[in-house]
Amino acid sequence: MSLAIALDNWQHWQVATALVAKPRVARTLSSGPYTRITQVVADTQNGPALFVVRSPNKVGSTLAPSNTLAAEHHGLAANAQLAPALRYVRSDLGTLVMDYIDPLPKRPGNDIDDAPNTGPYRSTLTSQSLATLLNGIHAIDVTGQTLDLQAQLSLYTLRAQERGVPKDQLINSTHPSLQAAIAQLAADTPVLCHNDLHSGNVLATPRHLVAIDWEYAGIGSAYFDVACAAQGFPGMDTRALITLTLGEAFSHQLWRCAQAVYAATEWNWYQASGTTKPTSCRFDTVIARLAAVG
């Protein structure tokens, strides 16, 4: 329904070249438990143009905190050329229309087989390019709502239990080490964070990487954002990424806190969503990282 509404309101899209007819669906780029990404083609005064509509699979069904903030943060990143330009927003429906970014051609020997527009090519993804994206996001000047990690964990726990997941298969959001880690991250210097950078949310332009899916973005610790990205790109040189983003004043304790909180958040999210966990998402790993917080 929200996709249809976005297409029906094509005359309200804020585009560089005026549309002359209602856009039509080209193909579904991806469809997850909560979100569908659809490529559409629109006729303009200068010929056809491609856009992407991000819409919920089920209206009102999400594990993210705020559709309004997601659009706001995406818009700020787009102004900094760190996200595709937004053309239409319906925050009440969780629907965004943005420019389509054509993926770069694959090079010989590249074995990544991502769907178009859903991930960067290995030839353009390096610790330097990912760090440039992270540093750009963290430099955006914004004041607003923090991502409440405690509230998110509690939400995932509740949704997982509603699905019938036993308590002993979840990370207790009131675990003392977890609460201590969240408190230490909250005391860190606040910056704008994406908090969900992985291969499905990073695109490669000819010049640099950009990010999509700003649902979990908010003010918080850069350590948590970098921990998310390190887990989201398991082949990345984590040490280089840390050096390039967190710098010489790197805190081993804050890094341990970030890894522990992310591991717990990731585990409970998969339990809440019912989607298949990656092999790297392990219950014993979460427990070990919580123990390392001290």
PDB file of all heavy atoms in Angstrom, residues 125-152:
ATOM      1  N   LEU A 125      35.603  -1.374  -1.754  1.00  0.00           N
ATOM      2  CA  LEU A 125      35.420  -1.431  -0.307  1.00  0.00           C
ATOM      3  C   LEU A 125      36.743  -1.736   0.377  1.00  0.00           C
ATOM      4  O   LEU A 125      37.270  -2.841   0.281  1.00  0.00           O
ATOM      5  CB  LEU A 125      34.382  -2.496   0.061  1.00  0.00           C
ATOM      6  CG  LEU A 125      34.147  -2.688   1.554  1.00  0.00           C
ATOM      7  CD1 LEU A 125      33.619  -1.406   2.191  1.00  0.00           C
ATOM      8  CD2 LEU A 125      33.188  -3.831   1.800  1.00  0.00           C
ATOM      9  N   THR A 126      37.279  -0.742   1.053  1.00  0.00           N
ATOM     10  CA  THR A 126      38.519  -0.895   1.799  1.00  0.00           C
ATOM     11  C   THR A 126      38.310  -0.304   3.181  1.00  0.00           C
ATOM     12  O   THR A 126      37.329   0.398   3.440  1.00  0.00           O
ATOM     13  CB  THR A 126      39.678  -0.146   1.116  1.00  0.00           C
ATOM     14  OG1 THR A 126      39.394   1.261   1.127  1.00  0.00           O
ATOM     15  CG2 THR A 126      39.865  -0.619  -0.330  1.00  0.00           C
ATOM     16  N   SER A 127      39.241  -0.558   4.069  1.00  0.00           N
ATOM     17  CA  SER A 127      39.144   0.047   5.393  1.00  0.00           C
ATOM     18  C   SER A 127      39.177   1.569   5.280  1.00  0.00           C
ATOM     19  O   SER A 127      38.516   2.279   6.048  1.00  0.00           O
ATOM     20  CB  SER A 127      40.275  -0.456   6.291  1.00  0.00           C
ATOM     21  OG  SER A 127      41.539  -0.230   5.688  1.00  0.00           O
ATOM     22  N   GLN A 128      39.920   2.084   4.297  1.00  0.00           N
ATOM     23  CA  GLN A 128      40.003   3.534   4.117  1.00  0.00           C
ATOM     24  C   GLN A 128      38.680   4.111   3.638  1.00  0.00           C
ATOM     25  O   GLN A 128      38.200   5.122   4.170  1.00  0.00           O
ATOM     26  CB  GLN A 128      41.110   3.872   3.108  1.00  0.00           C
ATOM     27  CG  GLN A 128      41.246   5.354   2.811  1.00  0.00           C
ATOM     28  CD  GLN A 128      41.691   6.158   4.023  1.00  0.00           C
ATOM     29  OE1 GLN A 128      42.807   5.990   4.508  1.00  0.00           O
ATOM     30  NE2 GLN A 128      40.823   7.023   4.531  1.00  0.00           N
ATOM     31  N   SER A 129      38.055   3.476   2.622  1.00  0.00           N
ATOM     32  CA  SER A 129      36.803   4.028   2.095  1.00  0.00           C
ATOM     33  C   SER A 129      35.674   3.905   3.118  1.00  0.00           C
ATOM     34  O   SER A 129      34.827   4.799   3.236  1.00  0.00           O
ATOM     35  CB  SER A 129      36.418   3.340   0.783  1.00  0.00           C
ATOM     36  OG  SER A 129      36.176   1.959   0.968  1.00  0.00           O
ATOM     37  N   LEU A 130      35.646   2.815   3.870  1.00  0.00           N
ATOM     38  CA  LEU A 130      34.614   2.667   4.898  1.00  0.00           C
ATOM     39  C   LEU A 130      34.853   3.659   6.036  1.00  0.00           C
ATOM     40  O   LEU A 130      33.904   4.242   6.573  1.00  0.00           O
ATOM     41  CB  LEU A 130      34.597   1.237   5.430  1.00  0.00           C
ATOM     42  CG  LEU A 130      33.470   0.888   6.396  1.00  0.00           C
ATOM     43  CD1 LEU A 130      32.100   1.135   5.751  1.00  0.00           C
ATOM     44  CD2 LEU A 130      33.576  -0.572   6.856  1.00  0.00           C
ATOM     45  N   ALA A 131      36.117   3.871   6.392  1.00  0.00           N
ATOM     46  CA  ALA A 131      36.437   4.850   7.438  1.00  0.00           C
ATOM     47  C   ALA A 131      36.053   6.260   6.995  1.00  0.00           C
ATOM     48  O   ALA A 131      35.573   7.062   7.807  1.00  0.00           O
ATOM     49  CB  ALA A 131      37.922   4.790   7.782  1.00  0.00           C
ATOM     50  N   THR A 132      36.253   6.569   5.720  1.00  0.00           N
ATOM     51  CA  THR A 132      35.873   7.883   5.201  1.00  0.00           C
ATOM     52  C   THR A 132      34.376   8.097   5.350  1.00  0.00           C
ATOM     53  O   THR A 132      33.916   9.186   5.738  1.00  0.00           O
ATOM     54  CB  THR A 132      36.280   8.021   3.721  1.00  0.00           C
ATOM     55  OG1 THR A 132      37.711   7.907   3.611  1.00  0.00           O
ATOM     56  CG2 THR A 132      35.841   9.353   3.151  1.00  0.00           C
ATOM     57  N   LEU A 133      33.591   7.061   5.057  1.00  0.00           N
ATOM     58  CA  LEU A 133      32.138   7.148   5.223  1.00  0.00           C
ATOM     59  C   LEU A 133      31.779   7.346   6.699  1.00  0.00           C
ATOM     60  O   LEU A 133      30.984   8.232   7.047  1.00  0.00           O
ATOM     61  CB  LEU A 133      31.476   5.894   4.673  1.00  0.00           C
ATOM     62  CG  LEU A 133      29.959   5.760   4.889  1.00  0.00           C
ATOM     63  CD1 LEU A 133      29.214   6.919   4.238  1.00  0.00           C
ATOM     64  CD2 LEU A 133      29.462   4.423   4.352  1.00  0.00           C
ATOM     65  N   LEU A 134      32.346   6.545   7.571  1.00  0.00           N
ATOM     66  CA  LEU A 134      32.063   6.660   9.003  1.00  0.00           C
ATOM     67  C   LEU A 134      32.448   8.028   9.548  1.00  0.00           C
ATOM     68  O   LEU A 134      31.676   8.674  10.268  1.00  0.00           O
ATOM     69  CB  LEU A 134      32.802   5.560   9.769  1.00  0.00           C
ATOM     70  CG  LEU A 134      32.168   4.169   9.748  1.00  0.00           C
ATOM     71  CD1 LEU A 134      33.194   3.103  10.116  1.00  0.00           C
ATOM     72  CD2 LEU A 134      30.974   4.107  10.700  1.00  0.00           C
ATOM     73  N   ASN A 135      33.645   8.483   9.192  1.00  0.00           N
ATOM     74  CA  ASN A 135      34.107   9.783   9.692  1.00  0.00           C
ATOM     75  C   ASN A 135      33.222  10.921   9.180  1.00  0.00           C
ATOM     76  O   ASN A 135      32.966  11.892   9.899  1.00  0.00           O
ATOM     77  CB  ASN A 135      35.561  10.022   9.283  1.00  0.00           C
ATOM     78  CG  ASN A 135      36.531   9.122  10.028  1.00  0.00           C
ATOM     79  OD1 ASN A 135      36.248   8.673  11.137  1.00  0.00           O
ATOM     80  ND2 ASN A 135      37.680   8.837   9.420  1.00  0.00           N
ATOM     81  N   GLY A 136      32.751  10.788   7.939  1.00  0.00           N
ATOM     82  CA  GLY A 136      31.855  11.799   7.396  1.00  0.00           C
ATOM     83  C   GLY A 136      30.542  11.849   8.147  1.00  0.00           C
ATOM     84  O   GLY A 136      30.016  12.935   8.447  1.00  0.00           O
ATOM     85  N   ILE A 137      30.003  10.682   8.466  1.00  0.00           N
ATOM     86  CA  ILE A 137      28.757  10.623   9.236  1.00  0.00           C
ATOM     87  C   ILE A 137      28.954  11.230  10.619  1.00  0.00           C
ATOM     88  O   ILE A 137      28.143  12.029  11.098  1.00  0.00           O
ATOM     89  CB  ILE A 137      28.264   9.168   9.346  1.00  0.00           C
ATOM     90  CG1 ILE A 137      27.859   8.635   7.970  1.00  0.00           C
ATOM     91  CG2 ILE A 137      27.091   9.063  10.331  1.00  0.00           C
ATOM     92  CD1 ILE A 137      27.586   7.145   7.939  1.00  0.00           C
ATOM     93  N   HIS A 138      30.054  10.859  11.273  1.00  0.00           N
ATOM     94  CA  HIS A 138      30.309  11.340  12.633  1.00  0.00           C
ATOM     95  C   HIS A 138      30.558  12.851  12.673  1.00  0.00           C
ATOM     96  O   HIS A 138      30.421  13.473  13.738  1.00  0.00           O
ATOM     97  CB  HIS A 138      31.497  10.594  13.238  1.00  0.00           C
ATOM     98  CG  HIS A 138      31.282   9.123  13.354  1.00  0.00           C
ATOM     99  ND1 HIS A 138      32.311   8.215  13.563  1.00  0.00           N
ATOM    100  CD2 HIS A 138      30.143   8.379  13.273  1.00  0.00           C
ATOM    101  CE1 HIS A 138      31.806   6.987  13.609  1.00  0.00           C
ATOM    102  NE2 HIS A 138      30.498   7.068  13.438  1.00  0.00           N
ATOM    103  N   ALA A 139      30.923  13.434  11.531  1.00  0.00           N
ATOM    104  CA  ALA A 139      31.218  14.873  11.481  1.00  0.00           C
ATOM    105  C   ALA A 139      29.977  15.716  11.208  1.00  0.00           C
ATOM    106  O   ALA A 139      30.031  16.948  11.303  1.00  0.00           O
ATOM    107  CB  ALA A 139      32.275  15.151  10.410  1.00  0.00           C
ATOM    108  N   ILE A 140      28.844  15.092  10.870  1.00  0.00           N
ATOM    109  CA  ILE A 140      27.621  15.846  10.597  1.00  0.00           C
ATOM    110  C   ILE A 140      27.137  16.524  11.876  1.00  0.00           C
ATOM    111  O   ILE A 140      26.996  15.888  12.917  1.00  0.00           O
ATOM    112  CB  ILE A 140      26.522  14.918  10.037  1.00  0.00           C
ATOM    113  CG1 ILE A 140      26.927  14.396   8.652  1.00  0.00           C
ATOM    114  CG2 ILE A 140      25.187  15.650   9.944  1.00  0.00           C
ATOM    115  CD1 ILE A 140      25.966  13.371   8.080  1.00  0.00           C
ATOM    116  N   ASP A 141      26.911  17.800  11.781  1.00  0.00           N
ATOM    117  CA  ASP A 141      26.500  18.582  12.953  1.00  0.00           C
ATOM    118  C   ASP A 141      24.996  18.439  13.158  1.00  0.00           C
ATOM    119  O   ASP A 141      24.200  18.925  12.348  1.00  0.00           O
ATOM    120  CB  ASP A 141      26.869  20.049  12.744  1.00  0.00           C
ATOM    121  CG  ASP A 141      26.602  20.901  13.978  1.00  0.00           C
ATOM    122  OD1 ASP A 141      26.411  20.318  15.065  1.00  0.00           O
ATOM    123  OD2 ASP A 141      26.580  22.137  13.847  1.00  0.00           O
ATOM    124  N   VAL A 142      24.609  17.752  14.212  1.00  0.00           N
ATOM    125  CA  VAL A 142      23.190  17.539  14.481  1.00  0.00           C
ATOM    126  C   VAL A 142      22.987  17.343  15.978  1.00  0.00           C
ATOM    127  O   VAL A 142      23.827  16.779  16.671  1.00  0.00           O
ATOM    128  CB  VAL A 142      22.661  16.307  13.702  1.00  0.00           C
ATOM    129  CG1 VAL A 142      23.435  15.063  14.070  1.00  0.00           C
ATOM    130  CG2 VAL A 142      21.176  16.096  13.943  1.00  0.00           C
ATOM    131  N   THR A 143      21.893  17.847  16.471  1.00  0.00           N
ATOM    132  CA  THR A 143      21.466  17.559  17.838  1.00  0.00           C
ATOM    133  C   THR A 143      20.110  16.883  17.749  1.00  0.00           C
ATOM    134  O   THR A 143      19.288  17.215  16.892  1.00  0.00           O
ATOM    135  CB  THR A 143      21.337  18.845  18.670  1.00  0.00           C
ATOM    136  OG1 THR A 143      20.412  19.733  18.039  1.00  0.00           O
ATOM    137  CG2 THR A 143      22.685  19.535  18.810  1.00  0.00           C
ATOM    138  N   GLY A 144      19.897  15.917  18.579  1.00  0.00           N
ATOM    139  CA  GLY A 144      18.625  15.212  18.499  1.00  0.00           C
ATOM    140  C   GLY A 144      18.577  14.039  19.447  1.00  0.00           C
ATOM    141  O   GLY A 144      19.337  13.957  20.416  1.00  0.00           O
ATOM    142  N   GLN A 145      17.723  13.130  19.126  1.00  0.00           N
ATOM    143  CA  GLN A 145      17.478  11.990  20.004  1.00  0.00           C
ATOM    144  C   GLN A 145      18.592  10.957  19.896  1.00  0.00           C
ATOM    145  O   GLN A 145      19.027  10.610  18.804  1.00  0.00           O
ATOM    146  CB  GLN A 145      16.138  11.333  19.633  1.00  0.00           C
ATOM    147  CG  GLN A 145      15.752  10.174  20.535  1.00  0.00           C
ATOM    148  CD  GLN A 145      14.367   9.657  20.206  1.00  0.00           C
ATOM    149  OE1 GLN A 145      13.503  10.413  19.778  1.00  0.00           O
ATOM    150  NE2 GLN A 145      14.156   8.379  20.410  1.00  0.00           N
ATOM    151  N   THR A 146      19.036  10.479  21.035  1.00  0.00           N
ATOM    152  CA  THR A 146      20.028   9.415  21.037  1.00  0.00           C
ATOM    153  C   THR A 146      19.345   8.084  20.715  1.00  0.00           C
ATOM    154  O   THR A 146      18.132   7.937  20.883  1.00  0.00           O
ATOM    155  CB  THR A 146      20.705   9.299  22.408  1.00  0.00           C
ATOM    156  OG1 THR A 146      19.711   8.992  23.396  1.00  0.00           O
ATOM    157  CG2 THR A 146      21.414  10.592  22.783  1.00  0.00           C
ATOM    158  N   LEU A 147      20.135   7.147  20.233  1.00  0.00           N
ATOM    159  CA  LEU A 147      19.619   5.794  20.080  1.00  0.00           C
ATOM    160  C   LEU A 147      19.696   5.143  21.455  1.00  0.00           C
ATOM    161  O   LEU A 147      20.789   4.907  21.975  1.00  0.00           O
ATOM    162  CB  LEU A 147      20.436   5.001  19.065  1.00  0.00           C
ATOM    163  CG  LEU A 147      19.986   3.546  18.889  1.00  0.00           C
ATOM    164  CD1 LEU A 147      18.583   3.473  18.304  1.00  0.00           C
ATOM    165  CD2 LEU A 147      20.954   2.773  18.003  1.00  0.00           C
ATOM    166  N   ASP A 148      18.556   4.877  22.037  1.00  0.00           N
ATOM    167  CA  ASP A 148      18.477   4.296  23.375  1.00  0.00           C
ATOM    168  C   ASP A 148      18.734   2.797  23.274  1.00  0.00           C
ATOM    169  O   ASP A 148      17.835   2.021  22.973  1.00  0.00           O
ATOM    170  CB  ASP A 148      17.098   4.573  23.982  1.00  0.00           C
ATOM    171  CG  ASP A 148      17.020   4.203  25.453  1.00  0.00           C
ATOM    172  OD1 ASP A 148      17.759   3.287  25.884  1.00  0.00           O
ATOM    173  OD2 ASP A 148      16.204   4.808  26.176  1.00  0.00           O
ATOM    174  N   LEU A 149      19.976   2.398  23.507  1.00  0.00           N
ATOM    175  CA  LEU A 149      20.368   0.999  23.341  1.00  0.00           C
ATOM    176  C   LEU A 149      19.632   0.089  24.323  1.00  0.00           C
ATOM    177  O   LEU A 149      19.264  -1.034  23.983  1.00  0.00           O
ATOM    178  CB  LEU A 149      21.879   0.859  23.505  1.00  0.00           C
ATOM    179  CG  LEU A 149      22.718   1.578  22.445  1.00  0.00           C
ATOM    180  CD1 LEU A 149      24.193   1.555  22.821  1.00  0.00           C
ATOM    181  CD2 LEU A 149      22.509   0.939  21.075  1.00  0.00           C
ATOM    182  N   GLN A 150      19.402   0.589  25.542  1.00  0.00           N
ATOM    183  CA  GLN A 150      18.677  -0.199  26.535  1.00  0.00           C
ATOM    184  C   GLN A 150      17.244  -0.444  26.073  1.00  0.00           C
ATOM    185  O   GLN A 150      16.724  -1.561  26.169  1.00  0.00           O
ATOM    186  CB  GLN A 150      18.677   0.528  27.875  1.00  0.00           C
ATOM    187  CG  GLN A 150      18.130  -0.295  29.034  1.00  0.00           C
ATOM    188  CD  GLN A 150      19.079  -1.399  29.463  1.00  0.00           C
ATOM    189  OE1 GLN A 150      20.247  -1.142  29.731  1.00  0.00           O
ATOM    190  NE2 GLN A 150      18.586  -2.629  29.528  1.00  0.00           N
ATOM    191  N   ALA A 151      16.608   0.594  25.538  1.00  0.00           N
ATOM    192  CA  ALA A 151      15.231   0.459  25.064  1.00  0.00           C
ATOM    193  C   ALA A 151      15.145  -0.481  23.867  1.00  0.00           C
ATOM    194  O   ALA A 151      14.201  -1.265  23.745  1.00  0.00           O
ATOM    195  CB  ALA A 151      14.665   1.830  24.703  1.00  0.00           C
ATOM    196  N   GLN A 152      16.153  -0.403  22.982  1.00  0.00           N
ATOM    197  CA  GLN A 152      16.147  -1.284  21.814  1.00  0.00           C
ATOM    198  C   GLN A 152      16.279  -2.749  22.233  1.00  0.00           C
ATOM    199  O   GLN A 152      15.574  -3.621  21.733  1.00  0.00           O
ATOM    200  CB  GLN A 152      17.281  -0.915  20.862  1.00  0.00           C
ATOM    201  CG  GLN A 152      17.036   0.366  20.078  1.00  0.00           C
ATOM    202  CD  GLN A 152      15.774   0.290  19.230  1.00  0.00           C
ATOM    203  OE1 GLN A 152      14.821   1.031  19.469  1.00  0.00           O
ATOM    204  NE2 GLN A 152      15.745  -0.593  18.251  1.00  0.00           N
TER     205      GLN A 152
END
